Amino acid sequence: MSSIYIQPDFTTEGGATLHDVPIAYRTWGHLNAAGTNAVLVGHALTGDADLGAWWQDLIGPGQALDPEQDFVICANVPGSPYGSVSPVTTNPSTGAPYGADFPAFTIRDTVALHRHLLDALGVRRVRCAIGGSMGGMQVLEWAFERTDAGAPLVERLVPIAVGGRHTPWQIGWSEAQRQAIYADSKWRSGAYPPEDPPTDGLAAARTMAMVSYRSHTSFQRRFGRQRQSENGMPKNGTADAPFAVQSYLRYHGQKLVDRFDARCYVQLTQQMDTHDVSRNRGAYPDVLQQIEQPALVVGIDSDVLYPLAEQDELAAHLPNADLQVLASPHGHDAFLIEQEALNALIVQWKNAHVASATAR
Amino acid sequence: MSSIYIQPDFTTEGGATLHDVPIAYRTWGHLNAAGTNAVLVGHALTGDADLGAWWQDLIGPGQALDPEQDFVICANVPGSPYGSVSPVTTNPSTGAPYGADFPAFTIRDTVALHRHLLDALGVRRVRCAIGGSMGGMQVLEWAFERTDAGAPLVERLVPIAVGGRHTPWQIGWSEAQRQAIYADSKWRSGAYPPEDPPTDGLAAARTMAMVSYRSHTSFQRRFGRQRQSENGMPKNGTADAPFAVQSYLRYHGQKLVDRFDARCYVQLTQQMDTHDVSRNRGAYPDVLQQIEQPALVVGIDSDVLYPLAEQDELAAHLPNADLQVLASPHGHDAFLIEQEALNALIVQWKNAHVASATAR
């Protein structure tokens, strides 16, 4: 079910207040009478609320997300062009899209905004919050949400391919991508008209991102030095006889342009850069120690962008965490590619945890 | 000594013929009477012939490059804006810079062109060819050059932080950088006037390259989540309170714009993409087997761009190779940063090799 909830008012950490704030979301299964069987899923940078389209192997009876048991909720992130409030939605104060006036959102803002949705849906406790990459950042922020009675709102956490704060490595990748967008003169400091967006810059940013999501090994296995044409020699110019990997990257750059917005891309990469569970909460290791929920931390052994060291660090500091490594050549994207293996890891952990909780 | 040699005619692998082709080069020390004490050094993508400026710890009496013993030669690569023939030098047929008409060069073309320089200088044998990254690609191509008598021209090889062919991982990084340049409307398919170049695109490309040259660990140690201003919160827009790593990347992007040309950048990244010692020579492992010279293959344990697997592969297939790993957190750039350690590796290998050659 695809729906929109309108939050009457919302104020960001940075102090911007928005009115009539849409949150696009989807749900699977039914909330129980006590409101205690919700499972939250966070999507990644260019993802949306329709997890059936990108995590199809994780949802179904007996899977990590089980609509027969769980009330599964996936809400679109503010800043994303897939229905929640963003640069492309209408600012009720002006009647025009927010555009360049869209305020900065933090990962914490996203969780605070989505909390209003949970309250509106009648959710009183969340069994588990699960997400990879940007979705994993939300999982770690959900850890700090409390019920009215002061208990943790979310009972279990599954952060995947992420760390407790965006590191300068990830900020560097983000910044390089943003610079590619800014280099497109159609960017116009973000104040471009909807009919003339900086598509070349956005495509270049996506090209860069696609490299970061994969690995040396995966590209080698898939493309080698194959060329699209018979001619093994480069010709003068830029477009002749491209390598297969070039064609692949260009294709994905163009494909994103058809479904995404450059301001949203800038907004969301900046939002990811704000990710730091320790901000205003104390010293980083101490703050991780406060996350007492059982957590399954999943890392990918070939992840260049969020390397295993970050999940090692999380698992070392979270007092009640298990670390599982997804073995894959595919790099960061493995959390979207190796769905069967990921699902098995989560199901196994969930079953073990439920068993031990029952035994207590 | 900085000089220019003019090669009367040169035809590229792709079949383009150029006339009055300048090669900018520098030398240290003196060529012996037999012409047998040359040592060749290849520079990296944005480097130049002045290795004293970027490899200062490797040159000097008793060092890897010893002007008291060796006639050290470093020639600027065709396509680079530092004096050799390139998009910014004059096409004698038109009297104007080559600009967008500059033909494609391969790594093999670079070596063939530089071979003319060696002949003109009276070099009969080369003791050693040394280079990192793009310079290392040239080293591997020099392996195939022969004297008139059919002996290998180059007696020893030191390829650093490179593989035997550009892999799709490296081509992907190159392509993403080129796409950032193409996204700048001032690129104009490479036909931009010298006074109005696509500086934003080139800066974005450099930003991305700077990420690829470092590592998660080096960025973490150097920058963490430090910001340039006191304000820990991002403001609306793009320029407020940047992270230290953002400022660093922007600075390096701008710095390159002041000293490089976008067409040269595109040309050289395409030239690197042609790197494949096996092209027209046979099966890749067989071709590596043909490189019988003693070789010191140097890899960097934190290199994201040319990972250690590539140097492992080289060392496994070259019949007379030693592999040495430079331990460093700095990533690919370690070959320019860890000069003392790199120099020690090369000196030790050189001494051991000379001793064993004397003992034979």
Side-chain angles (χ1 to χ4, degrees):
Chain A
M1 193 186 70
S2 172
S3 311
I4 301 268
Y5 164 74
I6 307 287
Q7 170 64 19
D9 302 292
F10 183 75
T11 300
T12 66
E13 273 196 274
T17 297
L18 294 87
H19 304 286
D20 301 337
V21 180
I23 306 173
Y25 67 100
R26 281 177 179 253
T27 64
W28 293 259
H30 300 280
L31 188 65
N32 63 19
T36 58
N37 69 329
V39 167
L40 292 181
V41 179
H43 67 74
L45 173 58
T46 70
D48 59 22
D50 187 10
L51 69 88
W54 46 267
W55 252 5
Q56 55 273 21
D57 290 357
L58 270 75
I59 189 158
Q63 308 307 320
L65 310 167
D66 184 345
E68 293 186 356
Q69 308 287 332
D70 309 323
F71 180 54
V72 180
I73 307 167
C74 187
N76 185 223
V77 164
S80 160
Y82 293 114
S84 288
V85 69
S86 84
V88 301
T89 61
T90 301
N91 178 350
S93 316
T94 65
Y98 284 100
D101 296 332
F102 193 73
F105 269 71
T106 65
I107 298 291
R108 224 171 270 183
D109 287 327
T110 289
V111 166
L113 180 62
H114 287 176
R115 177 68 190 266
H116 290 298
L117 168 66
L118 296 196
D119 291 345
L121 292 173
V123 171
R124 313 272 309 260
R125 294 294 284 271
V126 174
R127 284 180 171 168
C128 192
I130 303 181
S133 202
M134 186 175 79
M137 300 174 197
Q138 294 155 27
V139 167
L140 292 168
E141 283 295 336
W142 278 113
F144 295 90
E145 289 289 306
R146 300 270 153 183
T147 64
D148 291 344
L153 178 77
V154 177
E155 292 163 358
R156 279 171 289 178
L157 310 167
V158 184
I160 302 163
V162 74
R165 52 186 173 183
H166 231 215
T167 59
W169 180 245
Q170 292 129 15
I171 297 170
W173 280 95
S174 292
E175 177 65 18
Q177 291 169 42
R178 288 188 293 260
Q179 290 295 335
I181 293 172
Y182 305 159
D184 187 332
S185 59
K186 293 187 172 180
W187 168 248
R188 305 175 181 96
S189 304
Y192 54 85
E195 68 278 10
D196 192 29
T199 52
D200 291 347
L202 179 59
R206 177 64 166 180
T207 298
M208 221 172 270
M210 291 301 292
V211 174
S212 75
Y213 296 156
R214 298 298 172 113
S215 75
H216 185 271
T217 304
S218 67
F219 272 12
Q220 181 64 26
R221 288 189 191 170
R222 179 159 174 187
F223 303 113
R225 286 182 56 79
Q226 263 187 292
R227 284 186 185 265
Q228 288 302 93
S229 88
E230 294 302 309
N231 181 347
M233 284 293 304
K235 293 182 199 157
N236 187 29
T238 60
D240 298 308
F243 290 98
V245 67
Q246 288 180 288
S247 303
Y248 163 87
L249 291 172
R250 289 175 192 171
Y251 171 78
H252 279 282
Q254 284 310 316
K255 209 170 135 195
L256 187 73
V257 161
D258 294 337
R259 70 174 182 90
F260 221 81
D261 173 74
R263 275 176 306 230
C264 289
Y265 198 89
V266 167
Q267 207 290 328
L268 287 178
T269 59
Q270 288 174 335
Q271 181 177 154
M272 289 164 78
D273 287 349
T274 71
H275 174 53
D276 180 0
V277 292
S278 71
R279 178 158 36 80
N280 304 331
R281 287 189 181 127
Y284 181 67
D286 298 343
V287 172
L288 290 181
Q289 286 284 341
Q290 295 167 24
I291 301 177
E292 295 189 344
Q293 292 99 324
L296 172 63
V297 177
V298 181
I300 298 153
D301 58 356
S302 57
D303 196 332
V304 172
L305 189 55
Y306 295 85
L308 212 46
E310 298 203 5
Q311 293 88 51
D312 282 339
E313 181 188 72
L314 271 186
H317 289 97
L318 298 181
N320 204 358
D322 295 305
L323 175 68
Q324 287 285 346
V325 177
L326 200 58
S328 169
H330 293 302
H332 187 62
D333 262 356
F335 81 93
L336 296 169
I337 295 172
E338 311 279 11
Q339 292 191 28
E340 215 172 307
L342 177 62
N343 182 62
L345 285 182
I346 298 171
V347 168
Q348 192 179 19
W349 176 80
K350 205 170 72 165
N351 291 344
H353 178 73
V354 170
S356 78
T358 310
R360 256 187 249 138
Chain B
M1 193 185 71
S2 172
S3 312
I4 301 269
Y5 164 74
I6 307 287
Q7 171 63 21
D9 302 294
F10 182 77
T11 300
T12 65
E13 273 195 274
T17 297
L18 293 87
H19 304 286
D20 301 337
V21 181
I23 307 173
Y25 68 100
R26 283 178 178 251
T27 65
W28 293 259
H30 301 281
L31 188 65
N32 63 19
T36 57
N37 69 329
V39 167
L40 293 180
V41 180
H43 67 74
L45 172 58
T46 69
D48 59 22
D50 187 11
L51 69 87
W54 46 267
W55 252 5
Q56 56 274 22
D57 290 356
L58 270 76
I59 189 157
Q63 307 307 318
L65 311 166
D66 184 345
E68 293 186 356
Q69 308 287 333
D70 307 324
F71 181 53
V72 179
I73 307 168
C74 186
N76 186 224
V77 164
S80 160
Y82 292 115
S84 289
V85 69
S86 85
V88 301
T89 61
T90 301
N91 179 350
S93 317
T94 65
Y98 284 99
D101 295 333
F102 192 73
F105 269 71
T106 65
I107 298 291
R108 224 170 269 183
D109 286 327
T110 289
V111 166
L113 180 63
H114 287 176
R115 177 67 190 265
H116 290 298
L117 168 66
L118 295 196
D119 292 344
L121 292 172
V123 171
R124 314 271 310 259
R125 294 294 284 272
V126 174
R127 284 180 171 167
C128 192
I130 303 181
S133 202
M134 186 175 78
M137 298 174 197
Q138 295 155 26
V139 167
L140 292 167
E141 282 295 337
W142 278 113
F144 295 90
E145 289 288 307
R146 300 271 155 183
T147 65
D148 291 344
L153 178 77
V154 177
E155 293 163 358
R156 279 172 287 177
L157 309 167
V158 183
I160 302 163
V162 73
R165 53 186 171 181
H166 231 215
T167 60
W169 180 243
Q170 292 129 16
I171 298 170
W173 281 94
S174 291
E175 177 64 18
Q177 291 169 42
R178 288 188 293 260
Q179 290 294 335
I181 292 173
Y182 306 158
D184 187 333
S185 58
K186 293 188 172 181
W187 168 248
R188 304 173 181 98
S189 303
Y192 52 87
E195 68 279 9
D196 192 27
T199 52
D200 290 348
L202 179 58
R206 177 65 166 178
T207 297
M208 188 181 182
M210 293 300 293
V211 175
S212 76
Y213 298 155
R214 299 297 172 112
S215 76
H216 185 271
T217 304
S218 67
F219 273 11
Q220 181 64 29
R221 288 189 192 171
R222 179 160 174 185
F223 303 114
R225 286 182 55 81
Q226 264 188 289
R227 284 187 185 262
Q228 288 301 93
S229 88
E230 294 301 312
N231 182 348
M233 284 293 304
K235 295 183 199 155
N236 187 30
T238 60
D240 298 310
F243 289 99
V245 67
Q246 289 179 287
S247 303
Y248 163 87
L249 291 171
R250 289 175 191 170
Y251 171 78
H252 280 281
Q254 285 310 315
K255 208 171 135 195
L256 187 74
V257 161
D258 295 337
R259 70 174 181 89
F260 221 82
D261 173 74
R263 275 175 308 229
C264 290
Y265 198 90
V266 167
Q267 208 290 327
L268 288 177
T269 59
Q270 289 174 334
Q271 182 177 153
M272 290 165 77
D273 287 350
T274 72
H275 174 54
D276 180 1
V277 292
S278 71
R279 179 157 36 81
N280 304 330
R281 288 190 179 126
Y284 180 67
D286 299 343
V287 172
L288 291 180
Q289 286 282 342
Q290 296 168 23
I291 301 179
E292 295 189 345
Q293 292 99 324
L296 172 64
V297 177
V298 181
I300 297 153
D301 58 356
S302 57
D303 196 333
V304 172
L305 189 55
Y306 295 85
L308 211 46
E310 298 204 4
Q311 294 86 51
D312 282 339
E313 181 189 71
L314 271 186
H317 289 96
L318 298 182
N320 203 359
D322 295 304
L323 174 67
Q324 287 285 349
V325 177
L326 199 58
S328 168
H330 293 300
H332 187 61
D333 262 356
F335 81 94
L336 295 169
I337 296 172
E338 310 278 10
Q339 292 191 28
E340 215 173 307
L342 177 61
N343 182 62
L345 286 181
I346 299 171
V347 168
Q348 191 179 21
W349 178 80
K350 204 169 73 166
N351 291 345
H353 179 73
V354 171
S356 78
T358 311
R360 257 187 249 136

